[in-house]
Amino acid sequence: MKTRILALLLCGALLASAFTLPAMAETITPATQADFDLPCQAAILVDLGTGAVLYEKNADEQRAIASITKVMTLLLTFQALEAGRVQLTDIVPVSEHAYGMGGSQIWLEPGEQLTLEEMLKAICISSANDAAVAVAEYIGGSEDAFVQQMNAEAARLGMTGTHFENACGLDETGHLSTARDVAVMSREMLLHHTEIADYCTIWTDTLRGGETQLVNTNKLLRSYQGITGLKTGTTGGAGVCISASAERDGLGLVAVILGAPSSKDRFDAARTLLDYGFANYQSLTAELPADAPKTLPVARGAEETVELSYTAPGSFLAAKGDDAQLEVRLALPESVEAPVAAGQQLGTVTVLRGGQTLAEYPVAAANDVAALSFGLCFRRLVEALLLHA
């Protein structure tokens, strides 16, 4: 059969939203400590949309990660919210165990009642350990049971260098992760639970009718253009840490800094990584041709056409300074033979740049089309004769 090819050349337009579209990256060699060093023990910079690594330093070295642990606690909480197991208006009880947490806290009292949303604000803004443990107990039944869920989710995400011992990030033997794994769970949070930004970007707020002041521990919120989160952390064992996310012109980045010697070094290192990413990379968008057909003729079918279902191309990470265009090619046959099954691949969308294929997406049948049968032909003939009688 003759194949119809529709091609659309796209200029390197910047992506409007890297959070919801499929994304791919060209082959990228990440910068390393040999290119430029940072004042920390481990670091990584990744593209939010594709996960491509743009910089790494000791990225697989297991280390304590302090309150960045709470990214996983928050992830499981938002999953529970999405599943309808809990509501933001639920009252979260405070146990003696949660009350006993040290470090940063909002001084919860046993028996005190705050809503889940208030607890989330305490965790995201002030990094409250007592609130994190109270939420863990509420979601999991106990902190130990919740930690088992944290480790199960880490395994599901492929975080092979991570093991959790608690829900808040206080130093504990065996409570370890890596810069790479922190980036993985940060991307999972930011990509699939975008409402986290509603909490992590709050600079100040109050609880208990204004009696308790919350001030965000992420000082980049006031000093870095496009910052969207995510979580800071500091303990004696972990040093000073941050998982910082930012977006500019459709390019989202996650910079993880572990084991910095001071808060200033932490923020300076994160700023350096984010600046590097925005200076050297861009996110391009690919779109289907405006005249892409919505149906395809069906030969000898019970229906004359079948509706088409496209997996639309999305965002693509590319180095700045390369003016090569994105090319989107749609390949479909002139017609398809019945029977056709819903989900059956009928064609292909291919995205290329500079002659290199970046991605291929299927074009599938959106519905079933049965083959034309003798009985159906006879019935249509009778209907036609009656219509013209």
Side-chain angles (χ1 to χ4, degrees):
M1 278 184 284
K2 186 167 63 177
T3 299
R4 181 171 53 217
I5 302 289
L6 300 177
L8 177 66
L9 291 179
L10 299 174
C11 295
L14 294 175
L15 176 66
S17 172
F19 289 6
T20 57
L21 297 173
M24 297 291 289
E26 295 182 352
T27 301
I28 289 171
T29 301
T32 67
Q33 188 176 357
D35 297 293
F36 61 92
D37 201 5
L38 298 168
C40 61
Q41 296 300 311
I44 196 168
L45 176 69
V46 300
D47 171 46
L48 176 63
T50 66
V53 177
L54 309 181
Y55 176 91
E56 57 182 292
K57 172 184 176 179
N58 301 329
D60 296 305
E61 178 182 276
Q62 283 190 302
R63 299 186 53 82
I65 60 170
S67 283
I68 294 179
T69 296
K70 295 184 179 82
V71 173
M72 182 60 81
T73 301
L74 292 166
L75 178 58
L76 292 182
T77 302
F78 278 97
Q79 288 176 353
L81 283 164
E82 184 178 26
R85 298 197 303 274
V86 297
Q87 306 294 325
L88 288 173
T89 53
D90 289 356
I91 298 299
V92 179
V94 180
S95 69
E96 290 283 349
H97 178 59
Y99 162 74
M101 290 299 107
S104 57
Q105 55 185 300
I106 55 168
W107 304 281
L108 291 172
E109 292 289 337
E112 184 178 7
Q113 294 185 333
L114 272 70
T115 66
L116 178 57
E117 182 161 41
E118 289 173 320
M119 292 288 194
L120 287 174
K121 287 182 179 180
I123 296 168
C124 294
I125 301 172
S126 293
S127 194
N129 294 328
D130 48 1
V133 172
V135 168
E137 292 176 328
Y138 183 65
I139 300 292
S142 69
E143 186 181 14
D144 287 344
F146 188 82
V147 169
Q148 290 180 17
Q149 296 176 21
M150 294 170 69
N151 286 317
E153 181 66 7
R156 185 187 73 83
L157 294 175
M159 297 166 58
T160 57
T162 297
H163 179 77
F164 296 110
E165 289 287 344
N166 60 63
C168 63
L170 289 173
D171 289 336
E172 190 168 346
T173 302
H175 188 92
L176 301 169
S177 187
T178 68
R180 194 181 310 278
D181 283 358
V182 168
V184 168
M185 69 177 179
S186 298
R187 287 187 67 237
E188 181 72 13
M189 184 83 250
L190 292 162
L191 287 171
H192 300 295
H193 301 281
T194 55
E195 62 271 30
I196 188 63
D198 296 335
Y199 297 91
C200 288
T201 55
I202 298 172
W203 178 241
T204 61
D205 206 333
T206 62
L207 296 175
R208 301 180 175 113
E211 294 181 5
T212 301
Q213 300 290 319
L214 303 177
V215 180
N216 206 303
T217 57
N218 184 359
K219 307 311 178 187
L220 292 177
L221 287 175
R222 301 297 293 270
S223 63
Y224 196 81
Q225 178 190 349
I227 199 75
T228 59
L230 179 60
K231 192 71 199 72
T232 61
T234 304
T235 64
V240 190
C241 310
I242 188 171
S243 176
S245 59
E247 181 183 0
R248 292 181 189 173
D249 298 322
L251 176 63
L253 299 173
V254 176
V256 178
I257 304 297
L258 302 181
S262 70
S263 184
K264 181 181 184 302
D265 288 325
R266 161 181 63 188
F267 293 127
D268 286 348
R271 188 179 292 108
T272 296
L273 282 188
L274 294 171
D275 283 348
Y276 171 78
F278 289 128
N280 290 279
Y281 296 95
Q282 61 182 330
S283 186
L284 308 179
T285 187
E287 298 176 354
L288 288 170
D291 58 349
K294 295 179 174 58
T295 62
L296 195 65
V298 178
R300 289 176 285 280
E303 305 292 338
E304 293 183 356
T305 61
V306 61
E307 293 187 9
L308 297 177
S309 173
Y310 291 90
T311 301
S315 64
F316 295 82
L317 182 69
K320 280 188 175 180
D322 184 348
D323 295 329
Q325 296 174 317
L326 289 182
E327 180 183 358
V328 178
R329 294 179 181 175
L330 172 59
L332 286 170
E334 287 289 340
S335 65
V336 63
E337 190 87 14
V340 180
Q344 177 181 335
Q345 184 170 346
L346 304 178
T348 304
V349 175
T350 303
V351 181
L352 306 94
R353 188 167 188 255
Q356 175 189 0
T357 296
L358 299 183
E360 290 187 344
Y361 304 93
V363 181
N367 56 278
D368 295 331
V369 177
L372 195 60
S373 65
F374 175 79
L376 180 57
C377 290
F378 181 76
R379 185 165 65 252
R380 288 180 176 176
L381 176 61
V382 170
E383 289 172 352
L385 291 173
L386 291 174
L387 182 63
H388 294 90

